[in-house]
Amino acid sequence: AFAEAALLGGSRWSLTGGGHVSILDGTPYVAPRLVAGAQLSETIRLELAANRRHQFDAITEEPREGSITQPVFLLEKPRTADMVALAGTWRPTSSALGGRHGGLQMSLYARRYRDRTVLDTTGITIRGFSSPDSLPVPRPPFPTFLRVPGHALGASIAADLAWGDRALIQGSYTAQFVRERADG
């Protein structure tokens, strides 16, 4: 279930709050969300957001370029991430862009993972490497995941420029630093 309410101060500011509730085996998991926005000028808008996310699935490793998607495994208990983000958008008037439409968006974010899922690789064979005792040990039919704390810091930038209905150019870039702590 999801519910959200918004307070609007004309076109100058907004405050949105809500939450998502998931129930698994009779246990509720509440994920609140809050977003505050302010229109600083005709062309510049800032937003600050904080939310919690529960994810009920995990993959054994990140997909590689050109590879097939890794299998997804459902979890008995969701993993939790808390996030804060600051985003700024610049949308100049079409007259400032010579009749075109476009803009630029930049965002900074930080995530804290309480219990990030990481594949437990102790004592199993992975891509041709044997276990420490040099005897290949078959992979179990269902992988086990460690729950480890972690955090991520990131920034992204996106730009777009449109010439009416004729052409659209878009570009974006995201940089992220992730740290996980497993077994010390």
Side-chain angles (χ1 to χ4, degrees):
F2 178 77
E4 188 171 75
L7 293 172
L8 303 174
S11 61
R12 302 296 295 167
W13 61 269
S14 63
L15 182 64
T16 306
H20 185 266
V21 178
S22 302
I23 299 175
L24 179 65
D25 290 334
T27 303
Y29 295 94
V30 180
R33 173 185 151 159
L34 184 66
V35 180
Q39 191 72 34
L40 301 181
S41 70
E42 183 182 337
T43 60
I44 298 175
R45 178 165 181 81
L46 281 182
E47 290 185 325
L48 179 64
N51 71 320
R52 172 169 291 155
R53 180 174 152 192
H54 291 116
Q55 200 159 354
F56 290 85
D57 62 353
I59 57 176
T60 55
E61 60 185 271
E62 293 298 319
R64 293 205 170 101
E65 187 69 36
S67 70
I68 60 172
T69 303
Q70 298 293 322
V72 175
F73 297 93
L74 298 178
L75 302 171
E76 293 177 359
K77 179 184 171 214
R79 52 190 171 125
T80 303
D82 295 318
M83 185 170 94
V84 295
L86 176 65
T89 304
W90 174 62
R91 290 259 171 228
T93 61
S94 63
S95 61
L97 292 175
R100 296 177 291 269
H101 297 278
L104 182 69
Q105 182 177 30
M106 296 176 62
S107 60
L108 304 171
Y109 61 89
R111 287 190 195 117
R112 181 177 64 104
Y113 302 103
R114 295 178 178 195
D115 51 1
R116 188 167 169 86
T117 52
V118 177
L119 180 65
D120 183 1
T121 59
T122 55
I124 61 174
T125 301
I126 297 179
R127 290 193 185 99
F129 294 99
S130 305
S131 62
D133 59 358
S134 299
L135 295 174
V137 179
R139 190 182 285 257
F142 189 84
T144 56
F145 293 96
L146 301 173
R147 297 293 185 123
V148 301
H151 68 269
L153 299 173
S156 68
I157 186 167
D160 62 275
L161 186 60
W163 288 263
D165 293 338
R166 296 184 310 257
L168 171 67
I169 295 174
Q170 294 179 316
S172 65
Y173 182 78
T174 299
Q176 178 173 269
F177 171 79
V178 178
R179 181 175 211 137
E180 298 164 339
R181 186 175 182 94
D183 198 22

